[in-house]
């Protein structure tokens, strides 16, 4: 298996405050990997550091064999990685079509084909392409946010709590969609509060606590592990 | 049923009623404001047609300034207090290219050896206009110069503040500093006396409903409308404009999407600077160039922007028209010196009853 994304001993934080004290993880081709852990473990910060939104003070991030440590987000996007933030992940006053167009901002060509491919994946929003994103429901917004991140057909996708604040029914369809995207060949690294659900459809998982790696392994074995269950899954 | 449960239900019901009333109250205020504006506009159009028409022309000039102000607010998230002085600077730069004059002493101008008005027929009036193609070229050069100056100021000052993650107040105060510096520069280079592009008395034309207008004023309105349409096309039909709106909507997501926000900021200053320069030239054609006028303009510009809903370009156009008309028609009732007071009154009223403005997003 080849690694598409590798974070090595990443130290990162906001200003003087250090949140990650040397976190490492690997995402292989075709995998879905979950990062779970209690609140304040640094899960979101890890994604942001990987994506160049929060400075990496030490350690490195490799994407498709290329060093992308502290590269600006527009460069990271060009290198083949997209990111869907947890909240505020659409442009509310822009139309759905314009939201998707912004997802392909770094490219000049092939906008029409990209739009049609993404609309094919998300038929629900395709019929409303001229409407403002603010008129969409919570679930549809999440779909639009996913769609935007797929405009450049990224090889690696980072998802920050894709199921947060959605109804149980919507959570299922979002996870189905994520699995479908993964089947299309995109490797996915996702942070989830909804740990059991996330583990049930991930290949592997990392457990983070207080900015450090605690456990890693097959998703199934983590799900079965008594210690992890007691400490982090609220069993 | 215990009292606490009842009490809880009661509070809940009360909150619900209050929320619903508040929501409706906002809609009522909105409709009320639009109605009030409609009445004022129709009333002044019928009652004092001449002042109304002049108000529309002044409003169209203000609109170009307000458009730039609202764009800069949307993308950079601060009110640019230098915008009025930038407007005057644009007028002066056009004056400089046209006449080649700078004031060396307070009494005597220094004439540079080159200027646009020395080109053949450059000052011959086009049709019924008082000015020739020289001023049009000068205005284009001024727009380019102000675009570059705005970008330079961003590099020099605002970009540094962004890197330091300074707060919005720091940005606003810095722009106030820029305003004072630009104003002083105008005093130093061109002196305190008012200037005009074309001197002499010009005849006006008579139009139906007793309206008397100079052809220059119709030209001003046409240019302002054309530029407003161009700005609209830029914002809604080009990738650059959509990116500007995306940053105004959600700067973090814009970065995440791969939009190079620093590059878009540079373009925003260029567009805002060019628009405000043309606004300045048009204002100077309508009245005069005066280094103190920039500060006076700040009030109507901000009133227009906030009335329309700060950050909303269509709102800025509507707001500028209302402020322009209100200011001119007020002459019917008050001394012309109170014109800025009218803008101030509008500003206070809108901040009291509906701070998000006519077309602004809910706060």
């Amino acid at each position: 298996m080849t690694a598409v994304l590798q974070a090595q001993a990443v130290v990162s934080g906001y200003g003087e405050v250090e949140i990650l004290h040397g976190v490492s993880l690997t995402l292989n081709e075709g995998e879905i990997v979950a990062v779970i852990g209690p609140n304040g473990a640094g899960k979101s910060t890890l994604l942001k550091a990987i994506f160049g939104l929060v400075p990496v003070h030490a350690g490195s991030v490799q994407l498709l064999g290329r060093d992308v440590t502290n590269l600006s987000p527009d460069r990271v996007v060009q290198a083949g990685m997209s990111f869907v933030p947890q909240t505020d992940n659409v442009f509310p006053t822009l139309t759905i079509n314009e939201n998707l167009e912004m997802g392909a901002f770094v490219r000049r060509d092939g906008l029409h084909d990209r739009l049609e491919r993404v609309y094919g994946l998300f038929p629900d929003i395709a019929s409303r392409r001229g409407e403002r994103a603010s008129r969409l429901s919570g679930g549809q917004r999440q779909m639009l946010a996913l769609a935007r991140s797929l405009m450049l057909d990224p090889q690696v996708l980072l998802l920050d709590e894709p199921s947060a604040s959605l109804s149980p029914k919507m959570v299922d369809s979002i996870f189905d969609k994520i699995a479908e995207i993964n089947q299309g060949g995109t490797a996915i690294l996702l942070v989830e509060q909804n740990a059991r659900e996330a583990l049930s459809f991930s290949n592997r998982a990392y457990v983070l606590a207080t900015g450090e790696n605690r456990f890693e392994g097959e998703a199934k074995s983590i799900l079965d592990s008594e210690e992890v269950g007691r400490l982090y899954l609220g069993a | 049923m215990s009292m606490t449960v009842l009490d809880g239900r009661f509070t809940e019901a009360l909150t619900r009623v209050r929320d619903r009333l508040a929501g409706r109250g906002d809609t009522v205020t909105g409709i009320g404001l639009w109605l009030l504006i409609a009445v004022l506009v129709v009333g002044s159009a019928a009652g004092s047609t001449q002042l109304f028409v002049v108000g529309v022309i002044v409003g169209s000039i203000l609109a170009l300034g307000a458009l730039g102000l609202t764009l800069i607010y949307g993308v950079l998230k601060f009110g640019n207090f230098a915008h009025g002085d930038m407007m005057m600077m644009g007028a002066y730069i056009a004056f400089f290219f046209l006449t080649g004059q700078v004031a060396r002493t307070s009494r005597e101008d220094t004439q540079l050896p080159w200027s646009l008005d020395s080109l053949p027929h450059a000052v011959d009036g086009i049709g019924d206009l008082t000015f020739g193609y020289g001023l049009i070229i000068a205005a284009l050069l001024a727009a380019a110069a102000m675009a570059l100056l705005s970008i330079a100021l961003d590099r020099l000052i605002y970009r540094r503040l962004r890197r330091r993650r300074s707060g919005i107040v720091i940005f606003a105060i810095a722009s106030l500093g820029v305003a004072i510096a630009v104003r002083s520069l105008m005093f130093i280079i061109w002196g305190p006396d008012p200037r005009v592009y074309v001197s002499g008395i010009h005849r006006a034309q008579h139009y139906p409903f007793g309206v008397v207008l100079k052809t220059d004023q119709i030209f001003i309105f046409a240019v302002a409308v054309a530029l407003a349409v161009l700005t609209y096309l830029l914002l809604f039909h080009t990738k650059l404009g959509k990116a500007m709106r995306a940053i105004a909507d959600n700067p973090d997501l814009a970065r995440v999407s791969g939009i190079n926000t620093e590059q878009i900021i540079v373009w925003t200053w260029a567009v805002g600077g060019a628009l405000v320069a043309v606004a300045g030239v048009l204002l100077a054609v309508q009245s005069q160039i005066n280094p103190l006028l920039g500060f006076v303009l700040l009030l109507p510009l901000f009133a227009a922007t906030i009335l329309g809903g700060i950050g909303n370009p269509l709102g800025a156009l509507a707001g500028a028209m209302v402020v322009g008309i209100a200011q001119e028609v007020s002459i019917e009732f008050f001394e012309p010196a109170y014109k800025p007071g009218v803008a101030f009154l509008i500003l206070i009223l809108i901040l009291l009853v509906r701070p998000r403005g006519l077309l602004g997003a809910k706060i």
Side-chain angles (χ1 to χ4, degrees):
Chain A
M1 266 195 286
T2 34
V4 285
L5 177 70
Q6 250 179 325
Q8 268 158 357
V10 169
V11 175
S12 173
Y14 304 89
E16 301 284 293
V17 187
E18 191 179 299
I19 310 257
L20 304 175
H21 315 293
V23 176
S24 302
L25 64 75
T26 304
L27 177 68
N28 294 312
E29 214 174 271
E31 271 190 325
I32 300 185
V33 168
V35 180
I36 59 175
N39 273 332
K43 305 186 296 286
S44 289
T45 308
L46 176 61
L47 289 195
K48 286 177 185 162
I50 288 173
F51 201 70
L53 292 167
V54 178
V56 173
H57 302 311
S60 72
V61 180
Q62 305 268 330
L63 175 68
L64 304 166
R66 201 183 136 194
D67 185 42
V68 296
T69 319
N70 287 326
L71 233 51
S72 64
D74 55 313
R75 299 276 189 77
V76 176
V77 168
Q78 266 167 330
M81 181 156 65
S82 288
F83 177 55
V84 181
Q86 181 187 346
T87 54
D88 297 325
N89 49 22
V90 300
F91 299 108
T93 76
L94 267 58
T95 65
I96 287 157
N97 219 43
E98 286 170 341
N99 264 275
L100 296 182
E101 228 178 293
M102 291 301 107
F105 186 84
V106 299
R107 290 286 159 79
R108 285 167 199 278
D109 55 319
L111 178 65
H112 181 78
D113 294 343
R114 292 174 195 281
L115 280 172
E116 290 316 310
R117 183 178 53 79
V118 168
Y119 279 134
L121 263 170
F122 297 91
D124 289 359
I125 57 170
S127 56
R128 306 177 62 175
R129 53 183 82 183
E131 284 181 45
R132 281 181 169 212
S134 59
R135 298 187 48 179
L136 296 178
S137 69
Q140 286 169 325
R141 280 189 197 208
Q142 200 63 32
M143 291 289 184
L144 176 59
L146 273 177
R148 180 196 55 72
S149 74
L150 293 175
M151 279 297 284
L152 295 179
D153 204 5
Q155 272 163 293
V156 175
L157 185 57
L158 308 182
L159 303 176
D160 194 355
E161 306 224 13
S163 75
S165 66
L166 292 181
S167 68
K169 206 180 132 203
M170 224 35 241
V171 171
D172 285 346
S173 52
I174 284 285
F175 280 149
D176 285 349
K177 203 44 100 177
I178 292 170
E180 189 184 333
I181 293 163
N182 177 245
Q183 245 121 62
T186 305
I188 294 173
L189 180 67
L190 70 110
V191 157
E192 258 301 332
Q193 201 75 257
N194 208 337
R196 282 186 184 284
E197 191 108 20
L199 286 172
S200 69
F201 79 98
S202 298
N203 303 106
R204 291 185 304 117
Y206 291 83
V207 180
L208 235 60
T210 58
E212 283 165 5
N213 289 80
R214 278 299 150 85
F215 296 95
E216 59 179 274
E218 299 289 312
K220 205 162 264 149
S221 65
I222 288 191
L223 206 50
D224 295 339
S225 151
E226 217 168 88
E227 196 183 357
V228 175
R230 184 167 48 77
L231 286 172
Y232 305 112
L233 301 182
Chain B
M1 205 178 282
S2 73
M3 276 308 284
T4 38
V5 172
L6 252 183
D7 196 41
R9 281 197 190 162
F10 180 68
T11 332
E12 202 177 288
L14 204 68
T15 320
R16 214 177 303 141
V17 168
R18 203 174 47 208
D19 284 353
R20 198 169 291 176
L21 271 182
R24 195 162 300 166
D26 189 65
T27 320
V28 169
T29 327
I31 294 171
L33 267 177
W34 278 112
L35 274 177
L36 186 68
I37 287 167
V39 167
L40 286 178
V41 166
V42 173
S44 55
S48 38
T49 317
Q50 173 67 28
L51 290 175
F52 172 79
V53 171
V54 174
V56 169
I57 288 158
V58 171
S60 68
I61 298 171
L62 287 178
L64 294 185
L67 260 181
L69 193 60
T70 218
L71 273 183
I72 290 165
Y73 179 85
V75 172
L76 289 120
K77 299 282 180 272
F78 76 94
N80 178 23
F81 287 119
H83 217 65
D85 290 291
M86 299 295 270
M87 192 161 163
M88 267 305 109
M89 191 68 175
Y92 268 113
I93 291 175
F95 172 80
F96 171 74
F97 282 124
L98 184 67
T99 64
Q101 283 173 9
V102 288
R104 175 165 292 168
T105 65
S106 59
R107 246 181 275 148
E108 217 174 317
D109 279 345
T110 304
Q111 178 73 48
L112 294 184
W114 54 269
S115 61
L116 285 167
D117 60 7
S118 58
L119 293 171
H121 307 294
V123 291
D124 296 353
I126 305 167
D128 281 338
L129 298 174
T130 60
F131 51 84
Y133 72 85
L135 182 63
I136 293 173
I137 297 175
L140 291 174
L141 290 174
M146 286 306 292
L148 291 176
L149 181 66
S150 301
I151 295 169
L153 284 169
D154 185 65
R155 278 279 146 89
L156 206 65
I157 298 163
Y158 303 117
R159 190 168 72 169
R160 290 175 192 221
L161 297 181
R162 280 198 296 283
R163 293 216 169 130
R164 271 189 230 160
R165 300 179 188 283
S166 301
I168 175 171
V169 176
I170 305 289
F171 275 96
I173 298 295
S175 76
L176 199 58
V178 169
I180 295 167
V182 168
R183 197 178 316 150
S184 309
L185 206 61
M186 293 188 287
F187 271 113
I188 292 168
I189 302 175
W190 291 286
D193 297 330
R195 309 273 187 162
V196 288
Y197 293 131
V198 184
S199 47
I201 296 165
H202 308 290
R203 283 191 44 200
Q205 313 279 334
H206 289 266
Y207 292 91
F209 303 108
V211 174
V212 182
L213 281 181
K214 285 183 287 183
T215 311
D216 285 6
Q217 290 173 305
I218 295 171
F219 174 84
I220 289 170
F221 184 67
V223 170
V225 169
L227 281 177
V229 170
L230 277 180
T231 309
Y232 175 83
L233 291 176
L234 168 78
L235 286 174
F236 289 87
H237 293 279
T238 70
K239 197 169 159 182
L240 172 65
K242 289 171 192 174
M244 286 177 181
R245 285 165 51 225
I247 295 175
D249 251 15
N250 190 339
D252 293 334
L253 186 63
R255 262 163 63 78
V256 165
S257 299
I259 296 172
N260 184 341
T261 46
E262 281 296 316
Q263 192 189 336
I264 305 297
I265 285 172
V266 166
W267 279 107
T268 307
W269 279 113
V271 172
L275 281 175
V276 87
V278 177
V281 173
L282 295 180
L283 184 80
V285 170
Q286 158 79 11
S287 53
Q288 50 164 256
I289 323 171
N290 175 337
L292 284 173
L293 213 52
F295 183 64
V296 178
L297 279 167
L298 209 52
L299 211 47
L301 283 178
F302 267 90
T305 309
I306 291 170
L307 174 60
I310 192 156
N312 184 319
L314 292 175
L317 294 181
M321 279 299 160
V322 173
V323 172
I325 293 166
Q327 279 198 338
E328 292 307 314
V329 173
S330 76
I331 297 176
E332 191 92 71
F333 312 100
F334 312 109
E335 289 282 310
Y338 290 119
K339 271 199 245 178
V342 174
F344 195 49
L345 204 66
I346 294 175
L347 185 60
I348 289 177
L349 265 179
I350 194 76
L351 284 176
L352 276 177
V353 301
R354 194 176 161 99
R356 70 185 170 98
L358 290 171
L359 298 172
K362 237 172 208 170
I363 297 168

